Amino acid sequence: MLSSHAFIPNTLFVTQFKKFPIQTKSRKLDSLQLTCSGIVLNTKSGGHAFVGYYLSRSLQKQGVKVTLWNEGFEEELQRSQPFSYYPELQSLGADILFSNSAIDTLKDRVKNCDWIVDNFSKSVETAKPLVELAMQVGVRQYLFISSAGIYKASSMIPHLEDDPINSHSPISETEQFLLSQNSFAATCFRPIYLVGLKSAKTSYTDYFFDRIVRGQKVPIPYPGEQLVSLSHVEDLVRMIILSIDNSKAFQQIFNATSGKFITFEALAKLCSQVCSKPLHMFCYDADLSSETFSLFPFRNRHFTADPRKAQQLLNWNSSTNLAENIAEMFAEYLSQQKDKRNISFHEDQQLKEIQRV
Amino acid sequence: MAFISDAKTFRSNSRLWVFWKRNGRCHSCGLHIRMASTQKLKVLVMGGTRFSGLYLARELALSGHQVVLFNRGRVPMENMKIRGETEEQFQIRMSNTRWIKGDRTRVEEMMQLLGKEPWDAVFDNNGRELSDSKPLIDGLGHSIQHYIYMSSAGVYKDTGLFPHVEGDVTDPQSRHKGKLDTEDYLRQKSDVPFTCIRPTYIYGPRNYNPVEEWFFQRIDQDRPIPIPGHGLHITGLGHVEDLAKAMVLALGNPQAISQTYNIQGRHSVTFDGFAKLCAIAAGKDPNKLKLVHYDPKKAPKDKKMFPFRPNHFFCSCAKAERELNWKESWDLVAGLRDSYENDFLEKKKRNAISMDFSMDDQILEWIKV
């Protein structure tokens, strides 16, 4: 069974190609260089919040004009990363806006823009006004940051783009909604866990750092050999940039992961090496403690996806180097004095009691 | 879980738009044809009678190459017929297949026999140690277009990061050290155009290694399946026919020279998941399967107890897909059904399946205690 988005019959592709002519001048073949302008719609929290920052930074450095809209209030958001780094983007020439409605803020402000990157929508309802905006502005391409979380859990790994998905999840409905639009070509990206400096969500590594630096045992869901995908945010950003105005990316869905997976246990060991402190771990039965212990930052299953389609179609390659990336994040952790915070670990304690550790 | 459909279309390597059903039959003329995108070559296959060599010999002949097998002649010709082949199809492709009788452990004799004629390519399928392959590499390597060596993904070092990709660090302490030595020797020889193939677990009809068969035996007898460890270990498998096709696509392909390719299915699977897929292949309800997990470090030991080692072991074959234009045509569901229906059942009929569950009983007893 191939789900409908995965296979574009030749005739449909030809039609799509005709509808969305590439402005060939705007892209040098196989290059990250673009000359068209666009809008990035950014979410205010969570693991994807820093995508807007890195994407805008890369594009502005190339001389591409970016309007970076963020949901929320500037005063509030700028107190923490990644938004605290936005002045850097401004000095590069990006137009940065904050509000609670993208369409109201942007509809008269941006004209003749070529693409939109939607790192914001979580449902068809939120996407609808943005699609309206896209049509008003007349973009050729709408790029959506989806999630590999929509894949149905399976004993077969890694996820590939034609694997079955939970078609009724709001995010997969959003993908379908965007791919079915007639006025622009859509491209969807399915990342898993994103790492890197300046993230709004640092729990993927803080969970380990917090415990290791304090000599606390690290609870890991049994058996600890679950495979998880951690990818540097720049991998996703490069994939997006390679997709902009690239007809090979039109109406396509791409897994946006580094392609290499690590077990929970190996990740804990890597963090302990980076912290230069010994690792003490214990495995817990997640079924027994799913209500009382919610701190473990990853889904308790193999959660992996393969990016060979992006490698093949976009000539994209990963630059994730987990050892280096995690070392950087630990340096950031220390620079923010997170190792000096007072943490009670009472949930850990409860867990130990329940599991009789 | 069983989401892959029954009918798969296989797109050949060539630029011709020919679509194949699983048995490789041309829709219009009914003959097995492969459109070779390379010239017709005279190919020496070491072995070619047991499992991967068997399918390789067939794929080569169907691709129009002249196939010469070198082996001891222990397997009668008719046993080389593969499931789904009619007698006529078999005879047609055997007319392109010759046999030289010999023993590769009798090196001088072998090189004398093989030195009598020129070769375009050599498939070295059954070498284990460097000493097995060195005479061939030294004797023939410089005068041929392509030396294709069957290595193994077992050469990779377990670093905690998966899947294995071709550039990953190899393990000089692995059980497949001989294969690694041979690969390294080929890399040193600047005048031998070579390709190395690293499969993970190979499965399919005629598998002499009881991989899927081990599961089918227990499923057939409605027995519990004892699984070492937690059952979440990931293993990579590839159908033997897909492996053979990849090897033929590598042959004569200039991009493949000096390259190494992992070959296995797109998806790998957990031990528990694999057991369930075997149940589905056998037409049984996977939810009724009884999976019993045990600690292999503490249980009574037997090497042959379980076909997989309790570690993650799987590869990405994205490189082969990209450079050889190769794609699997057998997903795990369809492939296991192929193995069950065309091999296990047939062997069961002639009482060729060993139903010795004494080790299982030992483990199950031990677990109770």
Side-chain angles (χ1 to χ4, degrees):
Chain A
M1 174 223 98
L2 295 172
S3 42
S4 59
H5 56 255
F7 176 66
I8 314 281
N10 273 337
T11 51
L12 185 58
F13 175 77
V14 169
T15 318
Q16 299 284 38
F17 186 88
K18 279 185 183 158
K19 274 187 189 167
F20 316 122
I22 332 161
Q23 199 175 50
T24 48
K25 284 182 193 161
S26 77
R27 165 175 290 287
K28 287 180 199 164
L29 279 173
D30 285 343
S31 135
L32 291 173
Q33 301 293 318
L34 286 173
T35 55
C36 51
S37 65
I39 300 170
V40 178
L41 306 166
N42 205 50
T43 185
K44 65 182 176 191
S45 64
H48 294 186
F50 63 163
V51 176
Y53 164 81
Y54 281 96
L55 180 60
S56 307
R57 188 176 77 166
S58 283
L59 287 168
Q60 286 289 158
K61 279 186 172 170
Q62 281 180 42
V64 175
K65 175 69 187 174
V66 175
T67 302
L68 173 58
W69 173 87
N70 303 271
E71 189 207 14
F73 295 109
E74 181 170 9
E75 249 181 50
E76 190 190 313
L77 288 176
Q78 70 183 9
R79 290 185 212 138
S80 47
Q81 60 188 35
F83 311 98
S84 50
Y85 289 94
Y86 276 16
E88 185 194 323
L89 298 178
Q90 273 167 328
S91 65
L92 285 169
D95 190 13
I96 303 195
L97 308 160
F98 294 83
S99 79
N100 277 322
S101 164
I103 188 162
D104 290 340
T105 304
L106 296 171
K107 65 176 187 253
D108 295 318
R109 194 186 177 96
V110 186
K111 312 211 190 282
N112 298 327
C113 165
D114 304 297
W115 48 265
I116 284 182
V117 172
D118 180 356
N119 184 37
F120 168 73
S121 296
K122 301 273 187 291
S123 64
V124 174
E125 294 86 271
T126 43
K128 272 196 179 132
L130 303 174
V131 166
E132 243 188 77
L133 172 69
M135 295 198 299
Q136 273 181 32
V137 172
V139 300
R140 279 196 304 278
Q141 191 178 7
Y142 193 109
L143 302 104
F144 174 56
I145 314 302
S146 175
S147 165
I150 63 175
Y151 285 114
K152 279 198 170 133
S154 170
S155 59
M156 293 171 82
I157 75 158
H159 289 306
L160 293 161
E161 288 84 354
D162 53 353
D163 280 6
I165 56 171
N166 298 315
S167 47
H168 296 300
S169 86
I171 295 214
S172 37
E173 284 175 348
T174 311
E175 278 190 357
Q176 283 310 302
F177 174 64
L178 294 169
L179 287 162
S180 66
Q181 293 301 313
N182 287 320
S183 30
F184 49 66
T187 306
C188 300
F189 303 95
R190 293 177 180 166
I192 299 189
Y193 301 114
L194 299 175
V195 297
L197 299 172
K198 306 173 190 174
S199 182
K201 185 179 171 89
T202 50
S203 54
Y204 307 138
T205 42
D206 282 358
Y207 179 83
F208 298 94
F209 295 155
D210 284 345
R211 286 156 181 79
I212 293 168
V213 302
R214 292 167 178 81
Q216 287 278 330
K217 280 192 179 175
V218 182
I220 297 205
Y222 175 83
E225 292 194 81
Q226 296 89 318
L227 286 159
V228 71
S229 169
L230 280 93
S231 315
H232 195 273
V233 61
E234 296 270 29
D235 273 359
L236 169 60
V237 163
R238 270 204 332 285
M239 202 184 282
I240 296 169
I241 296 178
L242 283 169
S243 299
I244 295 176
D245 243 19
N246 185 345
S247 62
K248 287 188 177 158
F250 290 175
Q251 300 302 102
Q252 296 293 352
I253 296 173
F254 296 107
N255 288 334
T257 61
S258 69
K260 276 283 201 184
F261 326 130
I262 190 169
T263 63
F264 293 162
E265 205 178 297
L267 178 59
K269 286 185 182 149
L270 185 55
C271 289
S272 115
Q273 277 169 25
V274 158
C275 295
S276 299
K277 286 219 162 134
L279 172 69
H280 305 287
M281 269 182 357
F282 72 94
C283 279
Y284 66 91
D285 183 341
D287 294 329
L288 220 58
S289 310
S290 56
E291 264 144 60
T292 48
F293 189 78
S294 57
L295 297 177
F296 191 73
F298 307 117
R299 283 167 211 239
N300 182 23
R301 60 175 176 92
H302 293 306
F303 190 21
T304 63
D306 186 280
R308 68 187 66 175
K309 184 178 172 187
Q311 285 171 327
Q312 187 123 356
L313 286 184
L314 308 175
N315 219 24
W316 167 93
N317 280 300
S318 169
S319 65
T320 298
N321 179 327
L322 266 189
E324 279 177 19
N325 302 148
I326 290 178
E328 269 188 336
M329 289 165 74
F330 184 60
E332 186 182 62
Y333 178 90
L334 292 176
S335 74
Q336 291 167 356
Q337 313 212 318
K338 285 184 171 177
D339 58 326
K340 311 266 192 300
R341 289 186 302 194
N342 216 353
I343 304 179
S344 72
F345 294 117
H346 67 269
E347 279 196 43
D348 287 37
Q349 199 47 45
Q350 267 187 321
L351 180 66
K352 284 176 197 167
E353 273 153 35
I354 295 172
Q355 307 264 336
R356 294 199 206 131
V357 168
Chain B
M1 195 188 341
F3 55 84
I4 309 291
S5 68
D6 240 359
K8 294 275 287 182
T9 52
F10 168 68
R11 184 172 164 172
S12 80
N13 173 47
S14 82
R15 286 122 205 133
L16 299 170
W17 291 82
V18 187
F19 290 91
W20 304 107
K21 284 216 172 97
R22 205 181 300 139
N23 61 6
R25 197 180 292 272
C26 169
H27 282 223
S28 55
C29 64
L31 287 177
H32 279 272
I33 316 170
R34 294 287 183 274
M35 300 298 168
S37 58
T38 61
Q39 40 168 162
K40 307 289 180 277
L41 299 174
K42 184 166 160 229
V43 183
L44 172 66
V45 177
M46 302 302 289
T49 58
R50 213 175 172 197
F51 186 38
S52 56
L54 195 68
Y55 287 84
L56 173 64
R58 175 164 174 262
E59 289 298 324
L60 286 166
L62 291 175
S63 296
H65 299 296
Q66 196 194 1
V67 182
V68 182
L69 309 178
F70 181 91
N71 58 69
R72 292 170 299 178
R74 302 258 170 100
V75 176
M77 207 61 122
E78 57 266 23
N79 284 22
M80 291 188 53
K81 187 146 74 98
I82 281 167
R83 56 89 178 92
E85 272 193 302
T86 65
E87 188 58 38
E88 190 199 354
Q89 289 161 348
F90 178 58
Q91 291 305 333
I92 290 174
R93 67 136 167 135
M94 290 309 279
S95 65
N96 257 346
T97 306
R98 219 180 2 118
W99 168 53
I100 296 178
K101 179 172 174 164
D103 187 336
R104 74 179 291 173
T105 62
R106 311 236 284 240
V107 175
E108 252 189 67
E109 226 177 82
M110 169 179 76
M111 292 318 295
Q112 232 187 19
L113 287 165
L114 296 179
K116 286 186 185 158
E117 45 189 312
W119 303 100
D120 292 324
V122 174
F123 278 90
D124 185 356
N125 269 26
N126 51 12
R128 276 212 177 81
E129 302 298 330
L130 175 55
S131 51
D132 296 335
S133 300
K134 196 168 181 298
L136 279 171
I137 298 169
D138 291 344
L140 303 178
H142 57 276
S143 62
I144 60 175
Q145 276 185 46
H146 212 159
Y147 191 100
I148 301 184
Y149 180 63
M150 178 76 92
S151 181
S152 164
V155 302
Y156 288 113
K157 190 175 169 71
D158 189 337
T159 58
L161 283 177
F162 296 91
H164 294 304
V165 295
E166 289 81 354
D168 282 0
V169 162
T170 50
D171 183 2
Q173 305 303 320
S174 84
R175 299 174 315 145
H176 303 272
K177 183 181 187 329
K179 301 260 190 195
L180 192 53
D181 290 341
T182 311
E183 282 196 16
D184 289 342
Y185 188 71
L186 282 165
R187 287 189 193 102
Q188 279 173 46
K189 303 279 284 184
S190 55
D191 58 342
V192 177
F194 74 93
T195 301
C196 294
I197 303 286
R198 291 177 181 166
T200 39
Y201 286 102
I202 312 170
Y203 76 97
R206 309 288 290 272
N207 194 357
Y208 57 80
N209 199 1
V211 173
E212 66 272 41
E213 186 184 299
W214 187 91
F215 289 87
F216 291 149
Q217 284 168 12
R218 285 142 186 86
I219 289 165
D220 183 66
Q221 297 295 303
D222 290 316
R223 287 189 60 97
I225 318 271
I227 294 185
H230 42 72
L232 287 182
H233 283 119
I234 300 284
T235 189
L237 300 106
H239 193 283
V240 63
E241 208 162 61
D242 282 336
L243 171 62
K245 288 187 171 130
M247 294 175 83
V248 174
L249 284 170
L251 175 64
N253 184 337
Q255 204 179 10
I257 303 293
S258 305
Q259 296 301 320
T260 301
Y261 296 100
N262 296 331
I263 302 291
Q264 63 153 77
R266 302 164 85 216
H267 287 105
S268 304
V269 67
T270 63
F271 289 177
D272 285 0
F274 185 71
K276 292 186 181 178
L277 290 179
C278 288
I280 292 170
K284 301 215 170 173
D285 183 352
N287 297 316
K288 293 221 171 89
L289 210 60
K290 189 152 189 276
L291 303 178
V292 178
H293 300 103
Y294 64 94
D295 184 345
K297 292 189 199 115
K298 299 184 182 153
K301 279 190 190 358
D302 184 326
K303 246 194 347 179
K304 291 190 168 59
M305 186 50 211
F306 189 74
F308 309 124
R309 274 182 298 154
N311 295 109
H312 290 314
F313 178 51
F314 65 106
C315 297
S316 163
C317 49
K319 182 181 173 184
E321 286 183 0
R322 203 170 48 239
E323 296 186 11
L324 304 180
N325 202 22
W326 167 78
K327 269 196 144 62
E328 72 167 27
S329 48
W330 291 97
D331 59 78
L332 273 173
V333 175
L336 287 171
R337 197 176 309 129
D338 180 28
S339 186
Y340 180 77
E341 286 169 9
N342 294 312
D343 199 28
F344 181 81
L345 285 184
E346 187 265 329
K347 273 162 109 165
K348 192 180 160 198
K349 259 186 232 158
R350 47 186 179 92
N351 281 323
I353 305 274
S354 124
M355 295 292 191
D356 174 13
F357 301 113
S358 51
M359 270 313 297
D360 292 49
D361 290 332
Q362 265 190 55
I363 299 236
L364 293 169
E365 265 311 304
W366 174 79
I367 290 172
K368 281 188 198 156
V369 165

